[in-house]
Amino acid sequence: MSNSATTTGKNGFDQTALTALRLGAILLAVYLCFRIIAPFIALVLWGAIIAVATYPLHQKLAARLGDRIKLSATLITLLGLIILIVPLVVLTESLVISSTDLTDNISRGSVRVPPPPEQVQGWPLVGEKLHSTWLLASENLGAALKQLGPQLEVLRVGMIATAAGAGAATLQMFASIIIAGVFLGTAEKSAAVTRAVVNGLVGERGPLLLIESETTIRSVTRGVLGVAILESILVAMGLIAAGVPAAGFWTFLILVLSIAQVPPLLTLIPLIFYVLATATVFGSTIFVICSVLVVGVDTFLKPVLLGRTADAPMLVILLGALGGMLLWGIVGLFVGAVILVWCWGALEFWIMNDDAPPAQPPRTPQKPAQE
């Protein structure tokens, strides 16, 4: 009897140890797979986001081309690469030309800074210092640059780091656009695999989560990226009309800050003061009009586009986009919004189930009384 119990206990221990070893092997395999694909997660994620955002355009284009899905995906990929490369080339050329001209003019002493308006001195907190530095630059630019040497060095280092980060982000986006083209070309297979995985993980709510993810990604694309691009175009028009140096750099800066959800008015205020102090009446008027349009787009158009076609409130999408961006960068705009929309939908579903009236038990039909 005791031998039988000992044998049973030993077999149970062996089975537990074998299960633990198998579980450890599975966890180790998952960890190694994650480490192997970790460098490509951001690329694939961006590719999936771009594919979801452009899928309606892909469907329409493929239908016009006679259901030639591969050709449509190729054309959209080429269009995306052109949209990425052309502004980059224009921005780089603008920065190089502006930097070269500014360096040559400073070395020749031909740069003239206009004196500051008297009302600058009355600005709170920064008026006195800004007026004195501006006045020194208008009288002796070399002395002002020497005085601002430490600040300019910090700015130079920051700009180099920003340029390096922008270059890496451009290469990442280049690869992601190509991956998005592959997803579009195999849209049916990709969608089937995604549905199978999501349905296996969450069950019957899988299709609903996929629909919410698609609408959220498209809402963020329109409400964040679309609005940021529109704002940068308006600012570029105003900068060119006002003749502001390095217009490409300022346009790119405002584009990045708009994507980061920095209010455009904070970025435009220094430029407005500069334009009003240096530009012609026509240029100043055009720039002010463009700035007003930018603020209007950010204030009124963005909420409409963020909330359009999405079941979750606009505030939930915006908070998810902002929080996700703070955690994971620009890709977090989409990931954070999708996660928060999922959680909002789960909370709403849970509350609705709790508030629903209790189901009544089915009533059994009564037999008619026999006469």
Side-chain angles (χ1 to χ4, degrees):
M1 190 110 173
S2 60
N3 291 336
S4 176
T6 302
T7 303
T8 302
K10 183 178 179 182
N11 291 337
F13 175 78
D14 292 344
Q15 189 66 31
T16 303
L18 182 59
T19 302
L21 288 175
R22 289 174 177 173
L23 181 61
I26 292 173
L27 293 176
L28 178 61
V30 171
Y31 172 75
L32 292 177
C33 291
F34 174 77
R35 292 297 301 270
I36 291 171
I37 67 174
F40 309 101
I41 290 178
L43 297 177
V44 175
L45 191 59
W46 260 120
I49 290 170
I50 296 171
V52 171
T54 57
Y55 185 69
L57 174 63
H58 169 64
Q59 284 183 310
K60 294 178 181 178
L61 182 60
R64 288 183 174 272
L65 294 175
D67 293 331
R68 301 175 68 181
I69 297 176
K70 303 290 185 181
L71 178 59
S72 173
T74 302
L75 293 177
I76 291 177
T77 302
L78 293 176
L79 178 62
L81 293 176
I82 292 173
I83 293 175
L84 175 68
I85 293 173
V86 171
L88 181 64
V89 172
V90 174
L91 172 63
T92 304
E93 183 181 4
S94 174
L95 288 177
V96 171
I97 294 175
S98 300
S99 301
T100 304
D101 292 344
L102 181 60
T103 303
D104 293 341
N105 291 333
I106 291 176
S107 62
R108 290 197 304 264
S110 58
V111 176
R112 293 288 181 267
V113 178
E118 289 301 325
Q119 59 265 29
V120 174
Q121 197 168 3
W123 292 355
L125 299 178
V126 299
E128 292 286 343
K129 186 172 181 60
L130 179 60
H131 184 272
S132 62
T133 304
W134 193 341
L135 183 61
L136 178 62
S138 65
E139 296 174 349
N140 190 340
L141 182 58
L145 292 176
K146 289 181 181 179
Q147 182 178 346
L148 297 175
Q151 292 84 351
L152 293 177
E153 179 62 22
V154 173
L155 179 61
R156 184 186 69 85
V157 174
M159 290 181 66
I160 292 175
T162 303
T170 302
L171 292 177
Q172 182 187 58
M173 187 59 65
F174 189 91
S176 297
I177 291 175
I178 296 176
I179 294 174
V182 175
F183 283 150
L184 290 175
T186 58
E188 294 184 0
K189 294 181 181 178
S190 301
V193 171
T194 304
R195 281 195 298 268
V197 172
V198 175
N199 291 341
L201 291 175
V202 300
E204 60 182 10
R205 287 184 59 83
L208 179 60
L209 291 180
L210 288 177
I211 293 174
E212 290 179 346
S213 302
E214 292 178 6
T215 55
T216 301
I217 289 174
R218 288 167 190 160
S219 296
V220 173
T221 302
R222 289 190 298 262
V224 176
L225 294 183
V227 168
I229 293 173
L230 179 58
E231 290 175 358
S232 63
I233 291 173
L234 291 172
V235 170
M237 293 169 57
L239 291 172
I240 294 173
V244 177
F249 168 76
W250 293 113
T251 302
F252 176 75
L253 179 63
I254 290 174
L255 173 64
V256 173
L257 294 178
S258 297
I259 293 175
Q261 300 304 293
V262 176
L265 188 60
L266 297 179
T267 312
L268 290 172
I269 285 176
L271 291 174
I272 290 174
F273 283 121
Y274 175 81
V275 169
L276 292 177
T278 59
T280 62
V281 175
F282 174 78
S284 302
T285 303
I286 296 297
F287 185 79
V288 170
I289 292 174
C290 291
S291 300
V292 172
L293 291 176
V294 167
V295 175
V297 166
D298 191 77
T299 306
F300 301 107
L301 184 60
K302 180 187 293 184
V304 173
L305 294 178
L306 275 176
R308 187 181 177 187
T309 70
D311 293 332
M314 185 272 294
L315 183 60
V316 173
I317 299 175
L318 183 59
L319 289 178
L322 290 176
M325 188 189 64
L326 292 176
L327 284 176
W328 302 301
I330 296 180
V331 71
L333 284 170
F334 303 91
V335 177
V338 169
I339 291 175
L340 205 59
V341 166
W342 280 3
C343 294
W344 175 266
L347 180 63
E348 192 177 36
F349 179 76
W350 175 48
I351 292 175
M352 289 176 61
N353 278 356
D354 284 350
D355 292 342
Q360 297 292 333
R363 299 176 60 183
T364 56
Q366 297 181 355
K367 294 182 180 180
Q370 295 181 356
E371 295 181 358

